[in-house]
């Protein structure tokens, strides 16, 4: 949530800051700002609205004494998304500027104390206290590093923070506590960002700061230390993706590109992990002994990842016979959860940074659970905090609405369920049947994508409807939730996902001719029951958009519109059937003129509670 970019080196200038900041806009996009260090002065430019809206700071262009700067794109927490609250924030002198991601929970108390000490505040943000705290330390005679570290020690909450000072040209201070900061080690230049996506255009050599670490950056390099100023040792890591992975590559939107990447990303999720001889999956990031002692699983996640978790519950219970519970991470952490011995917590998170999921993992481990992560972003906080887990390797996901991460998560959950299932007596022949089916998924995902034209036609016909219902059973119930979420997120149409049998316990009262119901009917095992539900909707004049299994004639006969998906074993249906749902939401949103990649009020990576 929010994006930070900083640079110090010979190519400093507003163009460089803005160009790289744009790559972080998916993390927050309600206002933005840059602060350039120009000689012994700071130049500040802040704006409400989106960076990509073309409002460029003309007066800052071409300053050749510019040595570097910091930049920020915001997702508002404290204070409206206007120019005054946009970062960077300055101290009373205007000679020290701060950008910040996260939330300072004790900001109100700090603000009061600082005001009593004579500090004047300009914004309503929690961030501004950081600038004044450092200023106060400097006023009291501390050297810059101590003033910075002492200020950090007073903060409660989370931060990724960057600071520049007019009086210290060529220096950027950064620190991290609960909000990612990555340093890029360039040639004769040093960069910093809240996400490696903003670094990759200039360097692939990066260092991930840990919580409780700070760093001083100059064009020649960087020094890291803990909050007591003791130096810390860091290892330079290589970013594995390249620039095209974070560009649209000819697609009109990242979301569409990412939907169409799924044949590859599904393959990446199982590549090198299918062990045919033993009929199991190779999950090198998890200790085998950990999985052998599993008595129950508890999945923690938010948003789309939580929907993948619901699919995971069915997979782990059906294939591995492990009792599994799924919790919204935020509910789990405050609900005084009971963790029985032998519980394996599985944290699912595309970004690996979601604050509630991270806190859920910490809570579960405090209560004695083992935890593994299923993450996309390599080196992310949840992945590192769990220590063990499986990456889905979907590559950077930029569209705010998650698509390819969802199918990657399900593929990994399938592998995990087969792996644990084999340890608990799943017959070899059954495992091989699933593994074969998994290996066919990329090609079937291509076939599923071929429905794009049909889905677009349906989308154009229904784009003006104010409400949608989505129904499904078993493996398709989480898909009903996910289909409805996709539509809500990007088209702002109200949509509800419902277990099909629950329809008659209330939601069927909503059914009337203008109410479309998307019926997920691609599973073979439960089709008869779904058909009964469809009849109930038809009897009340509702219109049906059916997602049917290839070869099925019965469901299409009852529907106004049918989209078909390749026939697969029921546990694999969620991987393929989600593709038309993503496309449906996409085309409806485009038809309604919505900003698909940056839906209003949302952000990609939710690092606040
Ligand atoms: C945000 C995103 C969703 C995502 C959720 C969980 O709300 O907009 O697309 O599903 O966070 O994110 P995570 O990174 O933990 O999967």
């Amino acid at each position: 949530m929010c994006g930070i970019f900083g640079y110090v080196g010979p190519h400093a200038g507003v163009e460089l800051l803005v160009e790289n900041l744009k790559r972080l806009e998916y993390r927050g996009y309600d206002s933005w700002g840059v602060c350039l260090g120009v000689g012994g002065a700071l130049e500040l430019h802040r704006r409400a609205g989106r960076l990509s809206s073309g409002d460029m700071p003309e007066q800052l262009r071409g300053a050749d004494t510019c040595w570097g700067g910091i930049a920020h794109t915001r997702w508002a927490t404290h204070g409206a998304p206007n120019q005054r609250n946009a970062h960077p924030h300055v101290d009373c002198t205007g000679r020290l500027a701060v950008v910040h991601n996260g939330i300072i929970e004790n900001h109100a108390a700090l603000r009061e104390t600082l005001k009593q000490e004579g500090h004047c505040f300009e914004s309503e943000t929690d961030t501004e206290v950081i600038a004044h705290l450092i200023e106060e330390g400097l006023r009291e005679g501390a050297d810059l590093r101590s003033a910075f570290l002492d200020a950090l020690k007073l903060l409660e909450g989370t931060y990724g923070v960057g600071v520049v000072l007019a009086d210290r040209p060529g220096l950027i201070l950064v620190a991290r506590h609960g909000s990612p900061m990555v340093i890029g080690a360039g040639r004769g230049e040093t960069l910093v960002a809240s996400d490696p996506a903003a670094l990759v255009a200039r360097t692939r050599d990066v260092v991930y700061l840990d919580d409780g670490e700070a760093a001083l950056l100059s064009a020649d390099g960087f020094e890291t230390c803990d909050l007591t100023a003791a130096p810390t040792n860091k290892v330079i890591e290589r970013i594995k993706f390249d620039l095209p992975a974070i560009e649209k590559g000819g697609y009109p939107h990242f979301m569409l590109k990412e939907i169409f990447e799924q044949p590859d990303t599904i393959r990446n999720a199982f590549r090198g992990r299918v062990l045919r001889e033993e009929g199991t999956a190779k999950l090198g990031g998890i200790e085998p002994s950990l999985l052998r002692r599993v008595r129950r699983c508890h999945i923690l996640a938010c948003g789309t990842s939580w929907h993948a978790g619901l699919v995971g519950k069915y997979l782990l219970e059906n294939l591995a016979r492990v009792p599994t519970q799924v919790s919204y991470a935020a509910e789990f952490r405050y609900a005084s959860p009971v963790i029985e011995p032998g519980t394996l917590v599985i944290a699912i998170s595309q970004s690996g940074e979601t604050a509630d999921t991270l806190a859920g993992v910490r809570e579960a481990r405090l209560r004695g659970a083992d935890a593994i992560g299923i993450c996309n972003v390599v080196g992310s906080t949840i992945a590192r905090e769990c220590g063990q887990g499986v990456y889905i390797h979907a590559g950077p996901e930029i569209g705010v609405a998650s698509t390819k991460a969802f199918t990657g998560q399900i593929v990994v959950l399938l592998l995990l369920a087969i792996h644990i299932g084999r340890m608990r007596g799943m017959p070899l022949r059954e495992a091989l049947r699933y593994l074969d089916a998994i290996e066919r998924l990329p090609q079937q995902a291509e076939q599923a994508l071929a429905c794009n034209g049909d889905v677009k036609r349906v989308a154009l016909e229904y784009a003006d409807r104010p409400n949608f219902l989505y129904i499904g059973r078993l493996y398709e119930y989480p898909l009903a939730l996910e289909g409805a979420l996709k539509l809500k997120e990007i088209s702002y149409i109200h949509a509800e996902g419902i277990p099909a049998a629950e329809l008659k316990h209330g939601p069927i009262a909503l059914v009337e001719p203008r109410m479309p119901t998307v019926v997920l009917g691609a599973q073979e095992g439960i089709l008869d029951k779904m058909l009964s539900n469809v009849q109930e909707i038809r009897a009340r004049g509702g219109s049906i958009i059916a997602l049917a299994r290839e070869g099925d004639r019965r469901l299409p006969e009852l529907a106004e519109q049918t989209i078909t998906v390749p026939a697969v074993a029921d546990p694999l249906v969620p991987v393929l059937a989600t593709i038309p749902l993503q496309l449906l939401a996409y085309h409806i949103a485009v038809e309604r003129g919505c900003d698909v990649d940056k839906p209003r009020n949302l952000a990609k990576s939710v690092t606040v509670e």
Side-chain angles (χ1 to χ4, degrees), residues 237-291:
E237 298 179 41
R238 290 281 290 171
I239 300 178
K240 295 231 167 59
F241 59 86
D242 47 23
L243 209 49
I246 53 168
E247 287 174 345
K248 285 190 200 148
Y251 285 90
H253 297 100
F254 280 110
M255 183 179 177
L256 192 63
K257 177 189 177 218
E258 287 157 7
I259 293 172
F260 273 84
E261 280 174 348
Q262 287 177 110
D264 290 333
T265 54
I266 289 168
R267 187 179 292 106
N268 290 346
F270 69 73
R271 195 200 300 271
R273 290 174 171 160
V274 172
L275 289 181
R276 295 199 55 79
E277 305 75 57
E278 294 152 51
T280 188
K282 183 177 163 203
L283 303 174
I286 310 177
E287 281 281 327
S289 61
L290 183 79
L291 296 181

Side-chain angles (χ1 to χ4, degrees), residues 291-306:
L291 296 181
R292 257 191 289 273
R293 56 175 191 265
V294 171
R295 307 246 302 263
R296 53 181 56 247
C297 292
H298 200 136
I299 296 175
L300 302 182
C302 305
T304 290
S305 297
W306 183 76

Side-chain angles (χ1 to χ4, degrees), residues 72 79 127 210 292 324 333 339 411 459 487 506 548 568 579 605 607:
H72 188 268
T127 302
D210 285 309
R292 257 191 289 273
T324 301
R333 65 183 287 202
I339 297 286
V411 171
L487 190 67
V568 282
I579 292 173
S605 171
T607 51

Side-chain angles (χ1 to χ4, degrees), residues 302-305 348-352 354 400 402 489 603-604 606:
C302 305
T304 290
S305 297
I348 307 178
S349 174
Q350 185 285 128
S351 63
T354 302
V400 166
S402 185
E489 278 179 303
K604 180 79 184 156
V606 181

Side-chain angles (χ1 to χ4, degrees), residues 451-465 468 470 487 491 493 516 545 561 563 580-592:
C451 72
N452 188 32
D454 290 343
V455 177
K456 186 170 179 183
R457 190 179 40 74
V458 175
L460 297 190
E461 196 168 329
Y462 289 81
D464 63 339
R465 305 295 170 94
F468 274 71
Y470 286 70
L487 190 67
S491 75
I493 293 175
I545 302 168
Q561 310 285 348
I563 297 153
L581 301 180
Q582 296 165 346
L583 288 169
L584 183 66
Y586 173 79
H587 289 300
I588 290 178
V590 171
E591 177 64 13
R592 290 167 69 97

